[in-house]
Amino acid sequence: MTTEIAPATGDRAGPREWVGLAVLALPLLVLALDISVLYLAAPALAVDLQPTATQQLWILDIYGFLIAGFLITMGTLGDRIGRRRLLLIGAAAFAVASVLAAFAPTAELLIAARALLGIAGATLMPSTLGLISTMFPDPTQRRFAVAVWMTTFSVGAAIGPLVGGALVEVFWWGAVFLIGVPVMLLLLVLGPLLLPEEHGSRAGRLDLTSVVLSLVAMLPLVYAVKNTAAYGPEMITLVPAVVGVVAGVLFVRRQRRLTDPLLDVSLFGRPVFTAAVLVLLIALLAVNGLFFVLPQYLQLVGGASALTAGLWMLPAAAVTVVGSLLTPVLTRRFGIRTVVATAAALAALGSLLVGLVGAGGGTVAVIALVSGTVLGLSPIGVLATDLVIGSVPPARAGSAASISETAGELGVALGVAVTGSVLAAVYGGRLTLPSGLPAEAADRAGEGLAGAVTAAESLPPELGTALLDAARSAYTAGFGAVGLVAAGLLTGVVVLALTALRRAGR
């Protein structure tokens, strides 16, 4: 005999919903792990499958590309066929794709399996947020549930490299994918018992042209941003960027004409909704810029191993948990606008100190300042996400969640691109090469700090040390510039919160 937990009465969630939230957190943790779990597994994978340089990039990137590309489609599809149904379909597909990735005999098959993981992963994020909107209609409870959701994702992404390194050391690289299989199977068993099913009244035909346009808009744009971050501005990058922008314009125009659009662009007519999306986009752009340069600083300037660098990143993950879980308490006391503006001001101060003190303050100082910035940003992520899904009718929660997640993906990608450009410009401008340096070594050092470290290994000790000192000094200056850019962006979030979130309520 199966005993179900009684649902809550009225508008407040009961024990069943809170246990259901724990079930929703499981796939989200795996999804976050899969974003970064390959970082420390990549060397072992490369030895086994021997991928080309291009294939290795696709193995790492295609997962995130396809999550970003399919978020809008999957969010709206969940509103139509049922968010729980889509979540369970995605979980089953994710489990199958995880097994295929774990035992992929070639790089090509691993890329294909990672692509399937990305498509399946795109069903999980908007489905879980949409279900939270249904399960927790009370704003205070929903805000806490979103805080748990955000914390789970942040912790998963933070510990991904550590989990990947440990699994590779004990087992083999394929084990990093298998951790998702039991979690998804557990979701398939518990989901029908604990999760509600609710979807919108719009049951029209899915417009395939809109689906194609959304993919043609997102995928080239994300590719162009990532390519710019990796290699700097190039003319060839303009082509996918232009394609993405044109497809995006055509997509929006088509949605306005359709009676049953893939994405209800009228949502952006809600001031609070639009402001929350912008706050999320800008805040993530700022913080991911710092996260992009921090591991490189720890390894190339501080001399830490990849695993040690991952351990140094744990304080930032810890303050994310604290900041996210304190958000509902602070909001009840001070209100949404005040908390967002104050949190952004704290984050801006931390970033400003990174810029003024610079990485020259040492590893402990850098970690403390970046952690302070992350502590300020944690409430912003929780409240902006809550405002997005809470400012629309329940029938549109999946579509709204997909917009929130798409803004997050773009914020991450743009943060890396902007930071990469700023870092490269400052590094190139501040790098003073020692006299007597061979032309080949000078060229490699000019490409970046990693190139300078490689070049120094083949030089006489004194010349190599001089090159490393110059390159590290230039990189430290670039790190400081990134902090100043982040501080400027976060100051913009303060202004946006004070002006555009006046109607957000408590």
Side-chain angles (χ1 to χ4, degrees), residues 65 87 100 164-165 202 206 213 218 246 282 330 363 371 432 480:
F65 281 164
L87 178 66
L100 293 176
R202 299 176 300 125
L206 189 68
L213 284 174
M218 281 299 300
V246 171
I282 298 171
L330 295 173
T363 299
S371 296
T432 303

Side-chain angles (χ1 to χ4, degrees), residues 100 160 184 195 203 268 374 410 424-425 473:
L100 293 176
M184 296 304 168
L195 303 178
F268 289 97
V374 173
L410 287 176
S473 176

Side-chain angles (χ1 to χ4, degrees), residues 93-241:
F94 199 96
V96 172
S98 296
V99 174
L100 293 176
F103 296 99
T106 65
E108 292 84 358
L109 289 177
L110 180 56
I111 291 171
R114 288 277 286 172
L116 291 175
L117 281 170
I119 296 172
T123 69
L124 303 178
M125 299 177 76
S127 294
T128 52
L129 265 183
L131 284 167
I132 285 174
S133 175
T134 300
M135 294 160 62
F136 300 94
D138 177 74
T140 301
Q141 289 188 321
R142 186 186 63 237
R143 198 165 294 135
F144 183 78
V146 171
V148 173
W149 185 91
M150 189 72 67
T151 299
T152 301
F153 191 84
S154 299
V155 170
I159 67 174
L162 297 177
V163 172
L167 288 174
V168 171
E169 188 170 332
V170 177
F171 301 104
W172 92 112
W173 62 264
V176 302
F177 296 109
L178 293 181
I179 56 177
V181 176
V183 172
M184 296 304 168
L185 292 178
L186 187 62
L187 174 61
L188 290 172
V189 173
L190 296 180
L193 299 176
L194 295 170
L195 303 178
E197 184 58 286
E198 179 181 341
H199 51 85
S201 57
R202 299 176 300 125
R205 179 178 61 86
L206 189 68
D207 184 53
L208 295 180
T209 302
S210 295
V211 173
V212 172
L213 284 174
S214 71
L215 291 174
V216 176
M218 281 299 300
L219 295 179
L221 278 176
V222 174
Y223 171 79
V225 168
K226 284 182 173 287
N227 192 77
T228 300
Y231 305 108
E234 296 178 337
M235 286 300 296
I236 194 172
T237 307
L238 287 176
V239 176

